[in-house]
């Protein structure tokens, strides 16, 4: 509608807005800590690369962040926001199986209803725009040859190492990861907190995805910011920032996106988060109560437009 220059500029602007908004919402969700560590999210290398090359992973990120914000107070709308996550469903396999189990255990059926409504509406809109869209998409996927591409991803390297032509091997890490995720959830089902417990789940989900690029790791921002806000270690913060600089250095030096030199990144975020959790940490603020982060009254009122009782904290 606008031409290449104008369209590309607005697209990049929308991606940048998604990144900044997501980091700001996370800062609010984690209790508005009095520091500037949320800049680690805005400057996270995979997210910056998304802006530079126009990758849609930054549209997925606010969907997940809004779910974290709304799943308690506005479950139907939280389900609606999950529509954005369906732009890259392969990144959410471990999260998805736990989400379904959580819906039934906690009886949060309104989340499921919201997701179903959003998906139905989007499918109908697609159908009326182009009646052949679904068959064209299936035809494109069969002939795209993406399964033969070199992608720096643990699952694909695993398949190429054992048997390059056996596509099913590519899904073995995802199956194992989903099994681990269900066990992880089941042990915590009575006290499950998406804001706190979902972080490790998201990082594992990225690691075991059937395929993913460096840009898809923007989904790690909620977990990394959670760890950054909690940790007392300045060394860990420097390591996280340095890892982003290394990735940007690889990019500027001409390392192709398909290079296995990026293979270390997804496991690195997981390892960093585990070290952060194992080390000495501090509560985000007085909103960290009994292992559950509760939004302050002011945040609930600002975001939801409702007044809360003063003793609701």
């Amino acid at each position: 509608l606008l031409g290449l220059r104008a369209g590309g500029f607005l697209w990049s602007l929308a991606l940048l807005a998604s990144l900044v908004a997501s980091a700001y919402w996370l800062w609010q969700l984690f209790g508005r800590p009095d520091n500037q560590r949320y800049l680690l999210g805005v400057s996270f290398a995979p997210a910056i690369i998304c802006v530079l090359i126009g990758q849609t992973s930054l549209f997925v990120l606010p969907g997940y962040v809004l779910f974290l914000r709304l799943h308690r107070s506005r479950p139907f709308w939280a389900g609606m926001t999950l529509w954005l996550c369906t732009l890259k469903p392969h990144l959410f396999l471990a999260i998805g199986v736990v989400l379904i189990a959580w819906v039934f255990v906690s009886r949060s059926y309104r989340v499921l209803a919201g997701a179903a409504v959003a998906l139905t509406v989007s499918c109908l809109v697609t159908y009326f725009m182009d009646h052949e869209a679904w068959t064209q998409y299936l035809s494109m996927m069969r002939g795209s040859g993406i399964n033969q591409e070199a992608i720096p991803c643990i699952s694909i390297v695993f398949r190429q190492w054992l048997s390059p032509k056996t596509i099913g091997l590519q899904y073995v890490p995802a199956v194992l990861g989903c099994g681990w995720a269900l066990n992880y959830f089941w042990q915590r089902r009575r006290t499950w907190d998406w804001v706190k417990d979902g972080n490790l789940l998201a990082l594992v989900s990225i690691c075991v995805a059937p395929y993913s690029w460096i840009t898809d790791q923007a989904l790690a921002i909620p977990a990394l910011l959670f760890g950054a806000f909690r940790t007392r270690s300045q060394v860990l913060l420097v390591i996280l920032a340095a890892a982003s600089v290394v990735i940007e250095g690889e990019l500027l030096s001409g390392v192709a996106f398909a290079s296995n030199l990026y293979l270390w990144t997804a496991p690195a975020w997981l390892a960093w988060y585990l070290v952060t959790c194992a080390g000495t940490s501090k509560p985000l603020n007085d909103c960290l109560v009994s292992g559950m982060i509760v939004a302050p009254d002011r945040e609930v009122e600002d975001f939801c437009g409702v007044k809360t009782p003063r003793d609701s904290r």
Side-chain angles (χ1 to χ4, degrees):
L1 296 176
L2 300 174
L4 182 59
R5 285 184 182 274
F9 173 75
L10 291 178
W11 184 265
S12 297
L13 200 61
L15 290 170
L16 184 59
S18 295
L19 172 60
V20 173
S22 296
Y24 178 73
W25 288 333
L26 288 168
W27 173 73
Q28 289 184 320
L29 182 63
F30 297 154
R32 305 173 185 262
D34 188 19
N35 57 50
Q36 304 299 315
R37 297 182 185 186
Y38 69 93
L39 293 176
L40 290 170
V42 177
S43 61
F44 189 50
I48 296 300
I49 297 173
C50 284
V51 176
L52 293 176
I53 68 174
Q55 243 292 335
T56 56
S57 297
L58 283 182
F59 292 142
V60 175
L61 178 63
Y64 183 61
V65 171
L66 287 173
F67 167 77
L68 295 178
R69 288 182 60 108
L70 297 174
H71 72 279
R72 293 193 193 101
S73 60
R74 296 290 187 272
F76 181 82
W77 290 104
M80 293 276 286
T81 64
L82 289 175
W83 179 85
L84 288 168
C85 298
T86 64
L87 295 175
K88 289 183 176 287
H90 56 286
L91 301 178
F92 291 88
L93 297 182
I95 296 175
V97 295
V98 170
L99 179 65
I100 294 172
W102 171 79
V103 164
F104 288 101
V105 168
S106 64
R107 299 182 180 180
S108 302
Y109 301 119
R110 284 180 291 178
V111 171
L112 202 60
V117 169
L119 283 171
T120 301
V121 170
S122 66
C123 289
L124 289 174
V125 170
T126 300
Y127 177 77
F128 286 115
M129 288 177 63
D130 182 1
H131 292 185
E132 304 296 324
W134 300 111
T135 55
Q136 291 170 356
Y137 182 78
L138 290 174
S139 176
M140 182 273 293
M141 289 302 295
R142 293 191 187 101
S144 66
I146 191 172
N147 287 327
Q148 307 305 320
E149 288 188 21
I151 301 176
C153 171
I154 293 174
S155 298
I156 289 182
V157 171
F158 176 76
R159 170 175 65 84
Q160 293 174 337
W161 179 50
L162 290 180
S163 178
K165 294 184 179 180
T166 308
I167 302 300
L169 289 174
Q170 196 167 314
Y171 295 87
V172 170
V175 171
L176 295 175
C178 289
W180 169 87
L182 282 174
N183 180 66
Y184 177 73
F185 164 74
W186 196 252
Q187 293 177 353
R188 297 162 177 78
R189 66 189 183 279
R190 300 186 187 280
T191 59
W192 182 261
D193 178 11
W194 277 103
V195 177
K196 178 171 65 71
D197 299 319
N199 294 319
L200 183 59
L201 195 64
L203 294 174
V204 170
S205 196
I206 294 171
C207 285
V208 302
Y211 72 95
S212 65
W213 297 89
I214 181 70
T215 51
D216 294 330
Q217 293 168 25
L219 182 61
I221 288 177
L224 298 180
L225 279 183
F226 183 88
F229 286 139
R230 291 183 74 233
T231 185
R232 297 179 184 273
S233 172
Q234 295 295 323
V235 173
L236 286 174
L237 296 176
V238 170
I239 289 174
L240 181 60
S244 282
V245 172
V246 170
I247 294 172
E248 292 165 358
E250 289 181 342
L251 178 66
L252 292 174
S253 63
V255 177
F257 283 113
S259 172
N260 282 340
L261 290 177
Y262 295 108
L263 192 62
W264 62 273
T265 54
W269 314 134
L270 176 58
W272 184 89
Y273 181 79
L274 291 174
V275 172
T276 301
C277 292
T280 303
S281 61
K282 59 183 178 181
L284 298 180
N285 62 10
D286 63 348
C287 298
L288 189 59
V289 181
S290 300
M292 180 178 293
I293 297 178
V294 182
D297 298 290
R298 183 177 61 180
E299 180 183 347
V300 175
E301 293 172 1
D302 291 348
F303 188 79
C304 301
V306 297
K307 296 296 182 181
T308 56
R310 299 312 302 173
D311 62 346
S312 64
R313 296 181 68 179

